[in-house]
Amino acid sequence: MPEDVEMNDSQPQPAAAPPPAASTLQHLKEIASVIEAGSLTKEVRRISRAVRLTVALRCRLAARDVAAFLAFALPHSSEAFARLSSLLPKEDGSEMDVDSAAPAAQVSIKHGLPEIEIYCYLLVLIFLIDNKKYDEAKACAFASITRLKNLNRRTVDVLASRVYTYYSYVHELTSSLAEIRGTLLALHRMATLHRDELGQETLLNLLLRNYLHYNLYDQAEKLRSKAPRFEAHSNQQFCRYLFYLGKIRTIQLEYTDAKESLLQAARKAPTTARGFRVQCNKWAIIVRLLLGEIPERTVFMQKGMKAALAPYFELTNAVRVGDLELFRAVAEKFASTFSADRTRNLIVRLRHNVIRTGLRNISISYSRISLADIAKKLRLDSENPVADAESIVAKAIRDGAIDATIDHANGWMVSKETGDVYSTNEPQIAFNSRIAFCLNMHNEAVKALRFPPNSHKEKESAEKRRERLQQEEELAKHMAEEDDDDF
């Protein structure tokens, strides 16, 4: 006889409730412990990781969280605690964030570490900027810069570079960049004496941005040419340097070097830095047009950039056709956009390229054409269009843009028969430039390779190999996160 079975055990058990999420204050305490570990072991990589974690946490910061963290990280009798607490906005009727929501292990740190103090300055500065309290942010930035002048520790360099960036950013938001130029120069001198290469990179870019903001291109070039150069430590700072270098070269009419710098900056920038890549592409398009090149359509159809590059697509089409009237219409239609991008003066230079492109098309289409008809087709609106057309044709012939002669007696332009381009050295030159580009990219990839020390001397066991692969995966993840940050 079958036994009776109780049905209670067959009922599905309710799923265990997920553990409560850690509070913002608990995350900040864990970041402080990471900074402490990096300070004690002198590992700059840990400090960089703490900065990345802070960037991911900044959208959740509240005044009570920052105030509670200051009370946790700084001694109450310290000058930094009193100064930073006074800068935070007071929230009436609000309670401090309680850690009981997240039953994590209690975190304790060692007071008096300069890295923790500078991190507190950085955290308050970020919070004030995000909340648009610019006067308090400027006071906090000035206090942090004053404190940094008395420190010379390699573990502080990563935090100091971020403080420098936000120090310049808050003054840019308040239209007072000129006021801090002397301070930035003094900080760059100090970073050079302290051999702080990351600080030198950051401050050089901030100074270049400061000069270019006021169109001081000559001063920017003098500083750039005399500043010490070394291997880049930050991909973000190197991308910014290439972008500023490309802008300087463009203004100085060195279009070939400018094109190389701008395209390299756009390629090296992380995919998440869309705004930066859009600016690089805008300037690169103008430079290529000034060089007489026509950018491919795929440049304008990149993901997320189509709307931003639409004015430059219409401008490129006008230059490609060689229609001076269409070029004027596009320049007037998007005048505000070009002024905001600070490319309007460069677009004025394109007028000559439009005329030359139209003249080249006329030279290919007609074996003989009168100068009056050339002036009419180019839509020259001067007082003596025939004389202007004659001078334009003569200059184009002298520069090698067209292969033709001028019959002054009859007022004609006679085009010579078009030769076979493959009988010249042009295909060889183009092929050689592509090979040089590929070889250069290969050399940069080889230089970027990293190998563990003494890997050729000792044979590793299976356990060491697993540990090494795990460390390499973590390092690759950190490098990817670092590329996505700071843009």
Side-chain angles (χ1 to χ4, degrees):
M1 191 169 187
E3 299 180 357
D4 293 336
V5 180
E6 294 183 1
M7 301 300 294
N8 295 335
D9 295 339
S10 63
Q11 295 295 330
Q13 297 293 331
S23 63
T24 303
L25 178 57
Q26 182 64 28
H27 282 301
L28 290 174
K29 290 181 178 180
E30 293 173 357
I31 292 173
S33 65
V34 173
I35 294 176
E36 181 189 25
S39 173
L40 297 177
T41 59
K42 300 188 184 307
E43 291 187 44
V44 180
R45 179 173 58 86
R46 291 178 181 266
I47 311 294
S48 302
R49 180 169 176 263
V51 173
R52 290 195 298 272
L53 293 173
T54 305
V55 171
L57 196 66
R58 65 186 294 180
C59 60
R60 294 166 49 189
L61 289 177
R64 61 179 181 273
D65 299 324
V66 179
F69 177 73
L70 293 179
F72 164 78
L74 297 175
H76 290 200
S77 59
S78 64
E79 182 183 354
F81 177 77
R83 180 185 294 115
L84 293 177
S85 298
S86 64
L87 293 174
L88 291 175
K90 302 297 185 293
E91 293 187 356
D92 297 332
S94 62
E95 298 180 356
M96 291 293 182
D97 201 356
V98 182
D99 288 341
S100 59
Q106 293 295 326
V107 180
S108 62
I109 61 172
K110 180 180 178 182
H111 290 294
L113 290 176
E115 290 81 4
I116 297 294
E117 181 182 350
I118 297 302
Y119 176 74
C120 291
Y121 276 109
L122 176 62
L123 184 67
V124 173
L125 181 57
I126 292 175
F127 173 76
L128 293 174
I129 292 176
D130 289 345
N131 287 271
K132 299 182 179 180
K133 298 185 179 298
Y134 299 136
D135 293 335
E136 292 86 349
K138 289 170 73 173
C140 178
F142 178 78
S144 60
I145 293 297
T146 304
R147 182 69 179 94
L148 283 170
K149 290 181 179 178
N150 299 322
L151 296 176
N152 183 14
R153 295 163 65 102
R154 296 287 72 83
T155 49
V156 178
D157 292 346
V158 177
L159 299 170
S161 65
R162 289 302 180 102
V163 172
Y164 299 150
T165 301
Y166 288 113
Y167 173 63
S168 176
Y169 180 58
V170 70
H171 282 82
E172 183 175 353
L173 291 175
T174 55
S175 303
S176 56
L177 273 178
E179 299 176 4
I180 64 169
R181 192 176 302 152
T183 305
L184 292 178
L185 288 169
L187 290 171
H188 185 270
R189 189 184 310 113
M190 183 186 72
T192 304
L193 294 175
H194 290 174
R195 299 185 184 277
D196 176 11
E197 295 185 350
L198 179 59
Q200 291 180 60
E201 283 183 343
T202 305
L203 289 165
L204 177 60
N205 285 333
L206 293 177
L207 283 165
L208 292 178
R209 183 181 183 88
N210 195 309
Y211 283 122
L212 298 184
H213 182 78
Y214 295 100
N215 296 324
L216 302 175
Y217 288 91
D218 291 338
Q219 289 89 329
E221 173 58 20
K222 289 179 181 177
L223 173 66
R224 188 209 63 81
S225 61
K226 294 181 180 179
R229 294 299 303 159
F230 38 79
E231 185 179 356
H233 289 259
S234 171
N235 181 63
Q236 296 86 3
Q237 298 300 334
F238 186 52
C239 290
R240 289 192 178 98
Y241 174 78
L242 290 173
F243 176 60
Y244 298 144
L245 178 60
K247 293 178 73 172
I248 294 172
R249 291 285 183 261
T250 303
I251 298 300
Q252 294 178 338
L253 307 180
E254 299 176 11
Y255 297 135
T256 303
D257 295 339
K259 171 191 168 185
E260 182 179 353
S261 298
L262 292 168
L263 291 179
Q264 190 177 3
R267 284 195 300 266
K268 285 181 174 291
T271 55
T272 54
R274 185 175 299 172
F276 179 80
R277 291 170 59 231
V278 166
Q279 289 297 320
C280 290
N281 279 283
K282 286 179 178 179
W283 279 75
I285 289 168
I286 296 295
V287 170
R288 293 183 67 179
L289 292 175
L290 289 169
L291 283 170
E293 303 176 6
I294 302 297
E296 301 80 5
R297 181 180 287 267
T298 54
V299 173
F300 305 94
M301 301 301 166
Q302 299 180 62
K303 185 178 180 180
M305 300 186 190
K306 187 174 180 181
L309 297 180
Y312 294 86
F313 177 73
E314 295 192 25
L315 184 70
T316 301
N317 186 50
V319 176
R320 181 183 62 83
V321 175
D323 190 338
L324 195 58
E325 193 65 30
L326 178 61
F327 173 78
R328 290 197 194 101
V330 172
E332 292 176 0
K333 179 180 178 182
F334 299 104
S336 59
T337 302
F338 297 144
S339 298
D341 295 336
R342 296 194 171 192
T343 55
R344 191 169 185 179
N345 291 337
L346 300 177
I347 291 172
V348 173
R349 300 182 189 178
L350 281 174
R351 181 179 182 276
H352 180 69
N353 293 61
V354 176
I355 294 174
R356 177 171 293 189
T357 302
L359 183 60
R360 188 184 299 116
N361 294 336
I362 293 172
S363 174
I364 294 173
S365 303
Y366 297 90
S367 60
R368 187 179 68 183
I369 186 172
S370 66
L371 296 175
D373 290 339
I374 292 176
K376 184 177 179 180
K377 288 183 176 294
L378 294 178
R379 301 185 183 182
L380 300 178
D381 54 357
S382 57
E383 296 180 356
N384 192 353
V386 177
D388 289 345
E390 185 175 0
S391 64
I392 291 171
V393 172
K395 190 175 186 303
I397 293 173
R398 186 194 65 184
D399 295 342
I402 59 175
D403 190 8
T405 57
I406 300 178
D407 186 348
H408 296 281
N410 298 317
W412 293 335
M413 181 189 76
V414 181
S415 301
K416 297 182 180 179
E417 185 178 355
T418 305
D420 184 11
V421 70
Y422 291 99
S423 63
T424 64
N425 292 330
E426 289 188 14
Q428 180 184 358
I429 295 172
F431 192 54
N432 183 60
S433 65
R434 295 178 183 179
I435 293 175
F437 172 78
C438 294
L439 291 176
N440 186 35
M441 181 177 292
H442 175 266
N443 292 337
E444 290 184 0
V446 171
K447 291 179 183 178
L449 292 176
R450 298 182 180 181
F451 301 95
N454 300 325
S455 60
H456 61 288
K457 294 182 180 179
E458 50 188 37
K459 296 182 179 179
E460 58 183 358
S461 61
E463 183 178 356
K464 288 185 176 180
R465 184 172 181 273
R466 284 195 298 270
E467 292 179 357
R468 179 177 60 82
L469 292 176
Q470 184 178 0
Q471 291 177 357
E472 289 178 356
E473 290 178 0
E474 292 179 356
L475 180 61
K477 182 180 178 181
H478 291 328
M479 293 175 64
E481 291 176 354
E482 184 178 353
D483 285 344
D484 292 342
D485 289 343
D486 201 25
F487 271 97

